[in-house]
Amino acid sequence: MSPEQKKAWIQVHVSVFLWGWTPILGKLISLSQLPLVWWRIVFTCLSLLLIPRVWKNLRQFKRKNYLKLFGIGCLIAIHWVCFYGAIKESNASVALVCLATVSFMTALFEPLIFRKKHSYKEILLGVIIIPAIYMIANAQQGYTYGIILGLIAAALAAIFSTLNKFMVTQEETTNITFIELSSGLIFLTPLLLVNSGNVFQSMLLVNNDVIYLLLLAVCCTTVPFMLSLSALKHVS
């Protein structure tokens, strides 16, 4: 294993550890899933704009890639809405168990997108999580809707992660992060206006929501997102 690959695996594990806090924070935040994701992206984009390197790299952004990044950004936004929907409809543990199927789904989707042979070893490793989901579904009948949303979130995560594997060869990681997330914000804003009867009331931040959102945006989104994109340059 090369030094670059070792560094990439460390980045992956740090990202996973930080992402592990997202369902806990999501459960603590009082907002429903759509306003929660909207605020998460707003805080994340603002935190990115405070990084000088982001401004510098955006000047080198290849405009031909914008539509691709916009599409991936929309997938990320829908993924987060489904993920937090799974948390709100069930609990953080169920959502995380469902998200663990990303490895299995990536083993299915990545070869299709890159037009290469499937790795049965990777598929087998991914299948290990299926019995855990089956046990939860049987034990907690009231969590069925949450499990469905969690599995949809996992499928979307597998797809946009695979697509980002290609994009990291085309753009700087800071460009990818900012363009995709700001695109997700553009995509979600009209949906928020349509789906909320009282938009102001649905987006009102109360108690410790601002603190939790800052932690969610900076520690659990900006940092792991950029680390994971950097890691994709050296690992599958």
Side-chain angles (χ1 to χ4, degrees):
M1 186 182 294
S2 67
E4 291 81 8
Q5 287 179 315
K6 288 181 181 178
K7 181 181 177 181
W9 281 117
I10 292 172
Q11 290 172 324
V12 168
H13 284 294
V14 172
S15 298
V16 170
F17 174 76
L18 293 174
W19 275 326
W21 292 92
T22 60
I24 299 170
L25 291 169
K27 196 71 174 179
L28 292 172
I29 295 169
S30 63
L31 302 172
S32 61
Q33 55 265 34
L34 193 54
L36 190 160
V37 173
W38 191 89
W39 276 116
R40 179 186 185 180
I41 298 177
V42 167
F43 277 72
T44 302
C45 288
L46 290 175
S47 70
L48 285 167
L49 291 175
L50 295 176
I51 304 174
R53 191 176 66 170
V54 172
W55 290 94
K56 179 181 178 181
N57 289 338
L58 280 175
R59 298 192 190 100
Q60 304 168 359
F61 174 63
K62 300 171 185 174
R63 298 186 184 279
K64 65 178 182 179
N65 290 327
Y66 178 73
L67 285 179
K68 296 175 184 177
L69 293 176
F70 180 85
I72 297 173
C74 293
L75 291 179
I76 293 171
I78 299 170
H79 155 75
W80 280 343
V81 170
C82 290
F83 179 61
Y84 286 111
I87 295 170
K88 302 294 183 181
E89 294 293 332
S90 53
N91 58 47
S93 299
V94 170
L96 276 180
V97 168
C98 291
L99 200 63
T101 61
V102 167
S103 57
F104 169 66
M105 295 187 183
T106 302
L108 294 178
F109 290 131
E110 188 176 26
L112 294 176
I113 293 173
F114 287 112
R115 296 180 181 179
K116 63 180 185 180
K117 292 183 179 179
H118 285 85
S119 170
Y120 294 104
K121 179 181 177 181
E122 291 182 3
I123 292 175
L124 182 61
L125 288 172
V127 166
I128 292 173
I129 196 64
I130 303 300
I133 296 176
Y134 178 76
M135 289 171 63
I136 291 173
N138 276 348
Q140 303 290 344
Q141 297 295 331
Y143 289 167
T144 302
Y145 186 48
I147 291 172
I148 292 172
L149 286 174
L151 292 175
I152 293 173
L156 291 172
I159 294 170
F160 76 69
S161 297
T162 303
L163 294 174
N164 273 338
K165 172 69 176 175
F166 172 75
M167 294 310 301
V168 293
T169 64
Q170 305 290 316
E171 287 286 348
E172 289 288 335
T173 55
T174 53
N175 286 353
I176 294 172
T177 303
F178 184 77
I179 298 299
E180 285 183 353
L181 295 184
S182 57
S183 298
L185 185 64
I186 293 170
F187 172 75
L188 283 183
T189 299
L191 293 180
L192 188 64
L193 295 173
V194 170
N195 285 281
S196 300
N198 188 332
V199 177
F200 177 77
Q201 187 66 32
S202 69
M203 300 192 62
L204 189 63
L205 302 178
V206 298
N207 300 324
N208 294 318
D209 282 351
V210 173
I211 297 173
Y212 294 143
L213 279 166
L214 282 171
L215 289 171
L216 183 61
V218 178
C219 300
C220 301
T221 306
T222 302
V223 175
F225 205 90
M226 293 178 69
L227 284 176
S228 65
L229 286 175
S230 178
L232 278 176
K233 294 179 181 178
H234 305 288
V235 297
S236 69

